[in-house]
Amino acid sequence: MLHRTWRRAAIAAASLLTLTLVACSSEETGDAKDLSGNRAGAMADYGVGTQFTATEPLSFSILYNNHPNYPLKNEWLFWSELTKRTNVKLEPVAVPLSDYEQKRSLLIGAGDAPLIIPKTYHPAENQFVSSGAILPVSDYLDLMPNLKDKIDKWGLKPEIDTLRQSDGKFYLLPGLHEKPWQEYTVAVRTDILDELKQPVPKTWDELYTVLKAMKAKYPDSYPYSDRWSKPNPAGALLRIAGNSWGTQAGWSFQHNTWDPAAGKFVYTGATEQYKQMVQYLNKLVTEGLLDPESFTQSDEAARQKLANGKSFVITSNAQTLVNDYRPDLAKTLPNAKLVNIPLPVGPAGEINPASRLENGVMISKKARDSKNFVAMMQFLDWLYYSDAGQEFAKWGVEGTTFVKDAAGKRMPAPDVDMIGLNPKGTKHLQKDFGFANGVFAYGGKLDLVQSFFSPEELEFQKVMNTRKPIEVPPPAPLTDAEREQVSLWETPLKDYVTQNTLKFILGQRPLTEWDAYVGELKARNSDKYIDVVNKAYERFKKDNG
């Protein structure tokens, strides 16, 4: 999953609340009041907890991200059961996963996009706003009672506000999580910890101590050798380390970070937090604790080093632990025990850095003129945001693809498997039925999101969910002219940050040159970039709060 990345501010909370109340009050009137000619097929009494069923048979086109792990089948139970429940037939326009973003842009640009355009990660929708090709969905929230209910109950208004454009509206219906879901962390050989009489590290400083002990015992090893370095060098490691230092790096890199103390945005790659993260990783490399090849090697090379006992620590998530690392070790070192530890705590404190927003759905502007527009919005609200729709999309049909025990816990039906929950099952929930499909199933209540989790992963998430979610930054949406200007600066700046991050970490450039590096960023327009962002922040605050 791409996932999703963002920094926070206590100061912003009060202004955000005011901003949001103003914005929501305007949304609840908006263009949605003039829909008398667009209600064919809609339910008159649709609300939270209502099963949406169109009052006449309807069909809607949808752009479909065709995943190679479960290729599209017309005979999937998902399609027929969806129509049975809602009286709506979806007409998928299938695009391979590898070409999805490019094809989406081409279809929207040509005016040929389907009415429903899912699997869109913010801020990808920004590029389609100025042309008027996609709908300002915030104008129509009154048609989506389940979405409004979850935003209110889960306190998601600050996150929603980060989607807003300079006109105060947002153009993406996001997936919503009740709680943050932190996927990535550090996996450690606990059998080696036992051998060295070291406790499971809870902080990055304790991890350093563990790595030192491993190096002393096994001097020919690089205790930490990492993967996920193509195309972004050490993308995952920099992401989780950045989170722990209160900055954004690697996969999560954003040019601007909110500084709550200063009450403004600052340039990420020039901050003290970013510098301290770099210093820590440089210390690991300098002392032979972190493999310098971690920033260039293939995933396969990193896995082989772990499997062959040349390393003992690697960045991980629940799937790679079970599907990659443990099977690798079982073949070569069957007594090895590898465990995902809770994300180590750094200077930013005990935080859960995951966002509560997921990828979402854009709506083609053409949909607004359809006589079935209201019905379509009700249908999307039921499928993506109602408890019943979310359970259906993820698990399917009770008694056919899943069952519930006396306590209400969901489990695959006896002949159905999903990620090893029922290894004896001869049918697969995704491949054979079309459920748990990334186009439709994401987000929701905590128990639903975690219903595929192993007991081990549940324990990991239990620890993470005791931690404080990171503060959400205030909105700073750019105008079209501003976006066009900063786009000229972004690539050169990001490339320079990436290059010098690696040079500092690997010792190819001394950290005594940090101030010079910051000056080089300014010469590449980092200050001008941040000036634009802060002006956008002040303007949006003035206009909306």
Side-chain angles (χ1 to χ4, degrees), residues 33-314:
K33 62 187 178 183
D34 183 26
L35 291 165
S36 55
N38 308 93
R39 295 185 176 274
M43 293 177 66
D45 56 350
Y46 177 68
V48 175
T50 305
Q51 169 62 55
F52 171 77
T53 305
T55 59
E56 61 185 67
L58 301 176
S59 63
F60 302 121
S61 57
I62 183 168
L63 193 63
Y64 182 84
N65 188 339
N66 201 0
H67 201 294
N69 288 356
Y70 42 96
L72 173 65
K73 295 179 182 176
N74 293 327
E75 63 270 22
W76 275 342
L77 179 61
F78 175 85
W79 305 118
S80 56
E81 184 69 22
L82 182 67
T83 301
K84 178 181 174 183
R85 297 190 185 196
T86 65
N87 211 13
V88 171
K89 183 178 187 293
L90 286 179
E91 300 171 349
V93 177
V95 176
L97 171 66
S98 57
D99 298 329
Y100 189 74
E101 293 193 12
Q102 181 181 12
K103 185 68 171 177
R104 180 183 63 199
S105 295
L106 290 172
L107 287 170
I108 293 174
D112 297 329
L115 297 180
I116 304 166
I117 310 166
K119 212 64 183 173
T120 298
Y121 290 88
H122 177 73
E125 78 277 15
N126 290 358
Q127 61 190 299
F128 309 117
V129 170
S130 61
S131 67
I134 60 173
L135 208 62
V137 290
S138 56
D139 282 348
Y140 304 98
L141 294 190
D142 271 357
L143 304 179
M144 308 187 78
N146 288 290
L147 170 58
K148 286 182 66 176
D149 182 61
K150 283 182 166 54
I151 291 173
D152 181 49
K153 280 185 177 176
W154 297 348
L156 284 162
K157 290 183 176 68
E159 283 94 336
I160 294 294
D161 282 337
T162 65
L163 304 176
R164 296 186 187 277
Q165 302 291 326
S166 56
D167 59 5
K169 302 180 181 185
F170 59 90
Y171 293 71
L172 182 73
L173 294 169
L176 307 178
H177 284 273
E178 180 183 12
K179 298 285 186 181
W181 173 19
Q182 175 65 20
E183 288 186 85
Y184 289 86
T185 188
V186 178
V188 179
R189 283 270 304 273
T190 54
D191 59 305
I192 300 293
L193 294 183
D194 292 342
E195 176 189 342
L196 300 174
K197 295 182 171 53
Q198 290 286 332
V200 173
K202 294 181 179 180
T203 67
W204 288 94
D205 286 341
E206 290 177 8
L207 180 61
Y208 167 75
T209 300
V210 164
L211 295 173
K212 288 280 283 186
M214 289 175 170
K215 183 72 173 181
K217 176 71 174 180
Y218 298 98
D220 293 335
S221 73
Y222 282 111
Y224 198 152
S225 188
D226 214 16
R227 64 181 296 181
W228 287 312
S229 286
K230 298 179 185 297
N232 300 312
L237 172 58
L238 287 170
R239 175 183 181 175
I240 62 173
N243 292 153
S244 299
W245 265 264
T247 188
Q248 306 171 102
W251 288 346
S252 296
F253 181 79
Q254 301 287 324
H255 292 278
N256 49 281
T257 295
W258 177 251
D259 183 341
K264 63 181 181 180
F265 288 92
V266 293
Y267 191 76
T268 304
T271 61
E272 181 63 25
Q273 292 92 330
Y274 198 93
K275 178 184 179 183
Q276 289 178 8
M277 175 203 70
V278 166
Q279 286 175 320
Y280 176 87
L281 294 174
N282 168 257
K283 179 171 69 170
L284 298 190
V285 171
T286 301
E287 298 184 20
L289 309 180
L290 175 62
D291 185 357
E293 293 183 0
S294 296
F295 299 87
T296 54
Q297 68 188 354
S298 67
D299 286 3
E300 183 61 30
R303 287 173 59 180
Q304 284 300 314
K305 289 176 181 177
L306 183 72
N308 293 331
K310 296 183 182 298
S311 68
F312 314 111
V313 179
I314 192 168

Side-chain angles (χ1 to χ4, degrees), residues 68-71 73 76 427-435:
N69 288 356
Y70 42 96
K73 295 179 182 176
W76 275 342
K427 299 174 184 176
H428 194 275
L429 189 63
Q430 293 174 310
K431 297 175 184 177
D432 297 311
F433 296 98
F435 297 107

